[in-house]
Amino acid sequence: MENRLRELRKKRKLTQVALQMQTGIEQTLISKYERGERLPPTETLMLLARFFDTSMDYLMGLTDCPLPYPRGSQRKN
């Protein structure tokens, strides 16, 4: 999580404060997520995935594909 979030933020040339201003996520929490000290709750992961136009799986390091899942789609088991 920490590397992906920092990577995506820097790719957009955002500081942690700028990311806070655009998402409403406290800068101190962003810092902790980036350092791996805390894991964000599901709602925060969803917000970050939408903001960065990627998937929660990509943010968490479960896939190397940065493409988001299509909105409204559901995975079938």
Side-chain angles (χ1 to χ4, degrees), residues 15 22 29-30 39-40 42 49-50 54 62 69 76:
T15 63
Q22 293 192 33
L29 287 174
I30 293 168
L39 287 176
T42 303
R50 285 188 179 141
T54 191
L62 298 174
Y69 296 123
K76 300 196 186 224

Side-chain angles (χ1 to χ4, degrees), residues 59-75:
L59 282 173
M60 296 301 296
L62 298 174
T63 182
D64 290 331
C65 178
L67 299 176
Y69 296 123
R71 301 263 193 272
S73 71
Q74 293 185 6
R75 294 174 61 177

Side-chain angles (χ1 to χ4, degrees), residues 17-42:
V17 172
L19 182 58
Q20 172 188 350
M21 292 174 70
Q22 293 192 33
T23 63
I25 301 167
E26 292 290 329
Q27 181 273 327
T28 54
L29 287 174
I30 293 168
S31 178
K32 288 178 182 184
Y33 300 153
E34 288 188 358
R35 290 193 317 260
E37 293 177 7
R38 274 186 81 171
L39 287 176
T42 303

